[in-house]
């Protein structure tokens, strides 16, 4: 009798070791979650003779039943959360006092790094036999086996998230490269215009943009715009607005007023008032030296002409704020030779130092005034501004997208 009992114990140990090796091999072979759970079920149901079981795993921010047999009951995330709160070790369902668990006998929790990964509910046969319950006999093995399966599934989720994050990072890097082509930083040479731009998104991509278009040696259009919000969604709207603006410039008999009206319609159709765009647009006619501009809710451009600083404020409200623009004004001024303009977004003037002081319009105007006293290229003006911003902010990070467009009208 003692020999038979010893043989039975050895057989059980051999079976359990074999089962653990099979599960480990399945994990190493990178079987799917469904295949792993099927292997787990075969061991628990057919070999250990557990008649009722539900395995809950935390996935997609909620508790889900990933394996269930011997019961037809359905469970919600709130059911599981309420039933198992405070259970940190193997417990009888009776001790929980939860009526939802009455058809089961035992709840086995699985924790990893002090976080609950899964809960296993198991129920025994309802008979009067005096055999040792398989639940009692295999309780610790069930916990070990469930732990291995739960950790394997969690690792698969983490690996999948890692792959997904890598894919997202790759796509964001590509989007950033494409946006750099659309916006970009650097110097652009024209016969009668000296232009330099600077762009630094707060995240990998952003919602600011600037553009300069020379129609011919006598006419040029330029703009700087800021889409509300940050990140990918702002970048998508930015690219769309920039494309819409270029199409209007190329295919319509436009004026600054008509551009504002048409852009407002198109942005409203796109985002239905959930986002808006501020934009400064300028048109320069070189023979007459006349600058026409329209400021749609944007920061006023700063211009130095005939030794005086001017802030260009005439315009309207932001594009996409209202179904119809309530008023539209445009400004005009005469520019002398070598007049210089700075167009910029919030990231320039609103950046703060450690004392929470903004960089502000006055500092920007002073830089332009000082720059006018030296004979340097327009790219040096960008360098002066960005260096001054860095000195001002100190250790404070950039908190917003930053775009600059500087132009000298020869």
């Amino acid at each position: 009798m003692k020999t038979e009992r010893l043989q039975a114990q050895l057989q059980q140990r051999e079976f359990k070791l074999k089962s653990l090796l099979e599960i480990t091999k399945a994990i190493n072979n990178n079987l799917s979650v469904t295949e792993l759970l099927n292997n787990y079920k075969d061991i628990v149901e057919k070999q250990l003779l557990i008649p009722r079981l539900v395995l809950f795993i935390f996935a997609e921010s909620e508790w889900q039943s990933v394996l269930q047999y011997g019961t037809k009951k359905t469970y919600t995330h709130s059911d599981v959360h309420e039933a198992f709160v405070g259970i940190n070790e193997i417990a009888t369902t009776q001790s929980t006092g939860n009526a939802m668990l009455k058809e089961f006998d035992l709840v086995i929790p699985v924790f990893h790094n002090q976080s609950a990964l899964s809960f296993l509910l198991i129920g025994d046969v309802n008979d009067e036999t005096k055999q040792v319950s398989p639940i009692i006999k295999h309780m610790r093995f069930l916990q070990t086996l469930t732990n291995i399966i739960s950790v394997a599934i969690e690792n698969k989720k983490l690996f999948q998230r890692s792959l997904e994050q890598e894919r997202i990072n790759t796509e964001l890097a590509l989007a950033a490269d494409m946006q750099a082509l659309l916006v970009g930083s650097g110097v652009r040479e024209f016969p009668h215009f000296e232009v330099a731009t600077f762009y630094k998104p707060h995240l990998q991509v952003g919602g600011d943009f600037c553009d300069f278009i020379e129609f011919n040696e006598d006419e040029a259009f330029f703009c700087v715009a800021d889409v509300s919000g940050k990140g990918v969604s702002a970048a998508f709207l930015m690219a769309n607005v920039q494309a819409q603006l270029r199409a209007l410039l190329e295919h319509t008999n436009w004026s600054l007023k008509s551009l504002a009206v048409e852009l407002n319609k198109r942005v409203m159709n796109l985002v239905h008032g959930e986002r808006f765009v501020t934009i400064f647009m300028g048109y320069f006619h070189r023979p007459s030296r006349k600058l026409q501009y329209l400021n749609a809710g944007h920061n006023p451009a700063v211009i130095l002409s005939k030794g005086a600083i001017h802030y260009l404020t005439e315009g309207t409200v932001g594009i996409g704020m209202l179904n119809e623009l309530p008023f539209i004004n445009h400004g005009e001024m005469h520019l002398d030779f070598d007049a210089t303009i700075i167009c910029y977004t919030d990231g320039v003037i609103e950046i703060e130092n450690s004392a929470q002081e903004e960089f502000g319009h006055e500092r920007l105007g002073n830089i332009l005034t000082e720059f006018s006293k030296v004979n340097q290229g327009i790219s040096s003006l960008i360098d002066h501004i960005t260096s001054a911003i860095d000195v001002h902010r100190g250790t404070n990070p950039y908190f917003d997208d930053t775009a600059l467009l500087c132009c000298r009208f020869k």
Side-chain angles (χ1 to χ4, degrees):
M1 192 66 140
K2 185 176 180 181
T3 302
E4 291 176 358
R5 189 162 55 249
L6 184 59
Q7 286 179 338
Q9 289 175 351
L10 288 173
Q11 287 174 354
Q12 284 183 17
R13 289 179 183 176
E14 184 179 349
F15 157 72
K16 290 176 181 179
L17 283 172
K18 183 180 177 182
S19 298
L20 292 175
L21 286 172
E22 287 177 354
I23 286 292
T24 303
K25 183 179 178 181
I27 293 169
N28 291 337
N29 287 337
N30 200 28
L31 296 187
S32 67
V33 171
T34 300
E35 291 171 317
L36 290 177
L37 289 172
N38 285 338
N39 287 352
Y40 174 83
K41 182 184 177 187
D42 285 342
I43 295 170
V44 175
E45 183 181 25
K46 297 177 182 178
Q47 303 297 328
L48 301 184
L49 305 178
I50 303 297
R52 284 190 305 285
L53 176 148
V54 184
L55 177 61
F56 300 101
I57 285 182
F58 195 77
E60 306 300 330
S61 302
E62 65 177 7
W63 286 103
Q64 299 176 6
S65 170
V66 296
L67 178 64
Q68 180 172 330
Y69 66 82
T71 177
K72 296 182 179 180
K73 186 174 177 61
T74 58
Y75 304 89
T76 66
H77 165 75
S78 57
D79 290 336
V80 179
H81 182 73
E82 180 183 345
F84 299 139
V85 62
I87 297 179
N88 301 316
E89 55 186 25
I90 296 174
T92 62
T93 55
Q94 187 177 4
S95 68
T96 68
N98 192 298
M100 184 192 85
L101 310 179
K102 64 181 180 181
E103 63 177 309
F104 297 93
D105 298 296
L106 216 60
V107 53
I108 299 177
V110 173
F111 282 78
H112 183 65
N113 292 332
Q114 299 183 332
S115 296
L117 284 185
S118 61
F119 287 98
L120 179 66
L121 278 177
I122 46 179
D124 211 343
V125 287
N126 293 321
D127 60 20
E128 300 297 326
T129 64
K130 302 199 179 187
Q131 295 180 345
V132 177
S133 163
I135 290 178
I136 301 301
K137 189 188 299 184
H138 305 302
M139 182 171 58
R140 292 298 175 186
F141 176 68
L142 276 167
Q143 187 178 36
T144 300
L145 190 64
T146 305
N147 193 313
I148 292 172
I149 286 292
S150 300
V151 171
I153 292 174
E154 177 67 12
N155 287 340
K156 279 183 172 292
K157 288 192 298 180
L158 293 175
F159 180 68
Q160 189 61 40
R161 287 177 196 155
S162 176
L163 288 178
E164 182 68 14
Q165 189 60 51
E166 185 177 344
R167 182 187 67 78
I168 291 171
N169 289 341
T170 300
E171 291 182 355
L172 279 174
L174 179 61
D177 289 342
M178 294 177 66
Q179 189 173 56
L181 292 174
L182 290 172
V183 183
S185 297
V187 177
R188 297 172 62 185
E189 291 290 345
F190 302 95
H192 302 288
F193 308 99
E194 189 181 351
V195 180
T197 58
F198 173 83
Y199 180 61
K200 182 179 179 62
H202 173 62
L203 304 173
Q204 283 185 276
V205 291
D208 290 2
F209 76 87
C210 50
D211 209 350
F212 187 95
I213 303 169
E214 185 189 47
F215 300 122
N216 51 61
E217 66 177 16
D218 289 334
E219 297 177 286
F221 174 91
F222 58 95
C223 68
V224 173
D226 186 354
V227 174
S228 63
K230 300 179 181 66
V232 175
S233 58
F236 276 132
L237 182 54
M238 177 277 285
N240 188 287
V241 170
Q242 189 176 21
Q244 298 271 12
L245 180 57
R246 285 230 168 200
L248 290 170
L249 290 170
E250 184 175 353
H251 300 294
T252 66
N253 184 21
W254 59 272
S255 66
L256 293 180
K257 180 177 179 179
S258 69
L259 289 177
V261 170
E262 191 58 35
L263 280 177
N264 192 69
K265 289 179 183 176
R266 298 189 182 194
V267 171
M268 284 300 297
N269 287 337
L270 277 172
V271 295
H272 308 291
E274 293 183 4
R275 287 184 181 272
F276 62 89
V277 181
T278 66
I279 184 169
F280 178 91
M281 299 183 286
Y283 166 73
F284 181 68
H285 183 251
R286 194 176 68 87
S288 66
R289 307 298 298 178
K290 181 186 292 185
L291 171 69
Q292 298 179 3
Y293 72 88
L294 190 150
N295 187 335
H298 199 73
N299 300 294
V302 184
I303 196 162
L304 180 71
S305 182
K306 296 181 179 178
I309 289 287
H310 304 274
Y311 294 94
L312 309 185
T313 59
E314 293 293 331
T316 185
V317 299
I319 302 298
M321 288 182 173
L322 302 169
N323 287 325
E324 293 185 4
L325 299 175
F327 61 90
I328 303 176
N329 301 315
H330 75 271
E332 289 186 6
M333 67 178 301
H334 183 272
L335 302 183
D336 63 342
F337 286 92
D338 287 338
T340 304
I341 190 169
I342 305 174
C343 305
Y344 53 93
T345 57
D346 286 344
V348 174
I349 58 164
E350 292 184 2
I351 195 161
E352 296 180 345
N353 60 16
S354 57
Q356 296 184 321
E357 297 172 335
E358 291 186 347
F359 187 74
H361 297 96
E362 184 177 350
R363 286 185 177 89
L364 196 59
N366 290 340
I367 290 173
L368 184 55
T369 301
E370 291 300 316
F371 179 78
S372 67
K373 299 175 183 177
V374 296
N375 184 23
Q376 292 181 334
I378 203 73
S379 62
S380 296
L381 178 55
I382 293 280
D383 293 339
H384 276 67
I385 296 170
T386 54
S387 296
I389 289 171
D390 286 337
V391 170
H392 177 76
R393 69 184 178 88
T395 57
N396 284 357
Y398 282 92
F399 74 98
D400 199 358
D401 304 329
T402 302
L404 273 164
L405 183 148
C406 298
C407 178
R408 178 181 282 154
F409 302 92
K410 300 177 182 178

